[in-house]
Amino acid sequence: MKKQLIDNLSFVLITDRNHCKQSLSHTVKSALEGGVRTVQLREKGLATQELYSIARELRKITSEFKANFIVNDRVDIALAVEADGVHLGWQSLPFGIVRKLVGFEKLIGVSTHNRQEALQAQEYGADYITFGPIFDTPSKAGLLKPTGIEEIQKLKNGINIPIVALGGINERNVEAVLDGGADGIAVISSIMQADNPEDATRCLCNKIVKVRQVFYLSRRQ
């Protein structure tokens, strides 16, 4: 069961309702139809009741597609809607407390931005990390300097859990990111801001599949 959850981290959509050109639920459903395998609910500035309502709706949609549903930071919301996991940042509850609350069958991801943070997350027992921003991205403008693709490959030495790259990833650079060693990608604006979220998702998905096929063929030779 958990292996399938981890496999689904190959393509993650992080939500941001403020970027949607259609409703959030419609955008998420379109993305799932296009090939997204994990949806991470990351909606800031909402009252608990409203966030719960959105989480419940997206849990239902992701279940229909047998896709992961992960809630950013809010362990209570994740448990209330029976999400597949929680994603933690530097202001979240301590990792050990979260693990006790959600158990070992659910995923816990951790946001990291450098090697030290990545190693620390692995030591805590994280199931995966997100790493970035790889490129310039509006959501981190002026806050974090882009790491570049080369840092992903450096991380592979010493990091044994999946690395999900994020930050400015789009159809023009996704293949380079995966070739650079990322186990998966996470995107926001590439899908959320698209006029046709399903087509935008399918384009990214096709490129992911292409890179994976080349990788597996090279391993067999």
Side-chain angles (χ1 to χ4, degrees):
M1 176 64 179
K2 199 166 187 180
K3 181 182 183 304
Q4 182 59 53
L5 295 179
I6 290 173
D7 287 344
N8 281 349
L9 295 170
S10 61
F11 195 0
V12 181
L13 171 65
I14 300 174
T15 72
D16 186 338
R17 69 193 185 284
N18 296 316
H19 286 161
C20 291
K21 295 188 176 180
Q22 292 119 14
S23 71
L24 179 60
S25 59
H26 180 273
T27 301
V28 168
K29 187 172 183 179
S30 295
L32 289 164
E33 288 172 341
V36 155
R37 301 307 306 140
T38 294
V39 174
Q40 179 181 327
L41 178 63
R42 181 180 179 268
E43 297 297 330
K44 299 181 179 180
L46 291 178
T48 296
Q49 180 62 41
E50 190 174 1
L51 184 63
Y52 167 71
S53 179
I54 292 173
R56 187 174 59 180
E57 182 178 14
L58 296 189
R59 168 72 286 185
K60 182 176 183 296
I61 295 170
T62 51
S63 293
E64 292 170 359
F65 286 86
K66 294 182 171 55
N68 293 353
F69 182 57
I70 293 174
V71 176
N72 204 69
D73 197 47
R74 293 290 300 269
V75 182
D76 56 338
I77 299 290
L79 290 172
V81 302
E82 299 184 358
D84 298 301
V86 182
H87 193 83
L88 306 178
W90 67 276
Q91 291 182 309
S92 300
L93 283 170
F95 187 95
I97 298 297
V98 176
R99 181 59 84 189
K100 286 181 181 179
L101 290 170
V102 305
F104 286 90
E105 292 306 309
K106 293 188 183 294
L107 296 175
I108 300 180
V110 177
S111 295
T112 67
H113 311 98
N114 55 54
R115 183 176 182 82
Q116 181 180 353
E117 291 177 355
L119 289 170
Q120 187 175 55
Q122 178 172 260
E123 185 178 344
Y124 285 157
D127 295 295
Y128 72 95
I129 59 169
T130 57
F131 182 74
I134 307 301
F135 307 107
D136 282 317
T137 175
S139 64
K140 299 297 181 183
L143 298 174
L144 292 168
K145 184 179 178 181
T147 65
I149 293 172
E150 59 276 2
E151 289 302 313
I152 303 172
Q153 191 58 53
K154 291 178 184 178
L155 267 187
K156 300 295 281 188
N157 298 319
I159 299 295
N160 304 312
I161 56 178
I163 300 170
V164 179
L166 80 173
I169 297 174
N170 54 47
E171 63 181 71
R172 296 183 299 277
N173 57 37
V174 61
E175 291 171 291
V177 171
L178 294 170
D179 285 337
D183 299 292
I185 63 156
V187 300
I188 302 175
S189 59
S190 294
I191 293 175
M192 286 279 149
Q193 292 183 335
D195 291 324
N196 188 320
E198 183 177 346
D199 285 351
T201 304
R202 185 165 285 112
C203 180
L204 283 164
C205 188
N206 288 341
K207 290 179 181 291
I208 294 171
V209 170
K210 178 182 174 183
V211 173
R212 292 283 182 263
Q213 287 175 338
V214 171
F215 175 76
Y216 288 125
L217 285 173
S218 66
R219 290 281 298 271
R220 293 178 63 183
Q221 290 175 352

